[in-house]
Amino acid sequence: NAGVTQTPKFQVLKTGQSMTLQCAQDMNHNSMYWYRQDPGMGLRLIYYSASEGTTDKGEVPNGYNVSRLNKREFSLRLESAAPSQTSVYFCASNGQDAEQYFGPGTRLTVT
Amino acid sequence: LAKTTQPISMDSYEGQEVNITCSHNNIATNDYITWYQQFPSQGPRFIIQGYKTKVTNEVASLFIPADRKSSTLSLPRVSLSDTAVYYCLVGDMRGGQAGTALIFGKGTTLSVSS
């Protein structure tokens, strides 16, 4: 039982490049989330998926797209990366008991 | 959307009890109060959750007064390894009903010294 996994762990992009951050969970959770965390700040919700086949915007969705590929996987895409998107990205999931489980994070730098 | 207010930072010494208070004046009837802990370079980790009165687990206690407009996370006999950021969240996440109710804020940075 790996919990929540994220790939890659680190990534450096140039401005304008695109990439997809991958997230998977093996706990059969319905809900999955993407957050970003900037230095010295709390986590801000980008997008979430309450169940397979549905996605909704969170607090800071601009510049991102998501796909809930199946119950296990929830990906985050940056179509045209900007330096303001330099951050640590966390994926999380939760089931019926409301406890959120977080992945180890992806550290993204956009130059 | 219930917003929370908690101290930016707290200092303590090993072996002391630490109490971190969170204000949530606009808490809704269905909202639960949840606390998370985050170490540097790691994702947050669930500590405790409650609805009213007192909840205790092997890690912490959570005290919630009758009006539920605030809550206090109590960490007994802290050690150096309890140095972390602690987040208070208010929302109803049962059955995956979360979404925009998940506002982490900046949390409280607890520093424990020897």
Side-chain angles (χ1 to χ4, degrees), chain B residues 38-104:
Chain B
Q38 186 180 26
F39 297 114
S41 302
Q42 295 185 25
R45 183 174 71 102
F46 174 91
I47 301 176
I48 197 167
Q49 182 183 75
Y51 184 80
K52 61 181 179 180
T53 63
K54 177 184 174 181
V55 180
T56 298
N57 62 22
E58 65 277 6
V59 176
S61 294
L62 178 60
F63 299 92
I64 306 168
D67 66 6
R68 304 200 327 122
K69 293 184 184 299
S70 66
S71 59
T72 299
L73 174 72
S74 181
L75 304 172
R77 298 179 298 281
V78 294
S79 64
L80 296 176
S81 62
D82 291 316
T83 294
V85 179
Y86 293 82
Y87 297 97
C88 166
L89 279 75
V90 171
D92 184 3
M93 290 187 60
R94 294 168 298 159
Q97 301 302 315
T100 56
L102 297 173
I103 306 297
F104 269 79

Side-chain angles (χ1 to χ4, degrees), chain A residues 30-31 33 35 37 40-45 48 50 57-59 90 94-104 107, chain B residues 34 36 38 40-46 49 87 89 92-107:
Chain A
N30 285 324
S31 300
Y33 312 82
Y35 294 89
Q37 185 172 36
M41 303 290 288
L43 285 79
R44 291 185 292 172
L45 183 65
Y48 68 100
K57 295 178 180 179
E59 190 183 355
F90 289 102
N94 79 281
Q96 295 294 322
D97 64 0
E99 176 181 343
Q100 270 196 312
Y101 296 83
F102 284 81
R107 283 146 188 79
Chain B
T34 311
Y36 284 82
Q38 186 180 26
S41 302
Q42 295 185 25
R45 183 174 71 102
F46 174 91
Q49 182 183 75
Y87 297 97
L89 279 75
D92 184 3
M93 290 187 60
R94 294 168 298 159
Q97 301 302 315
T100 56
L102 297 173
I103 306 297
F104 269 79
K106 295 184 180 180

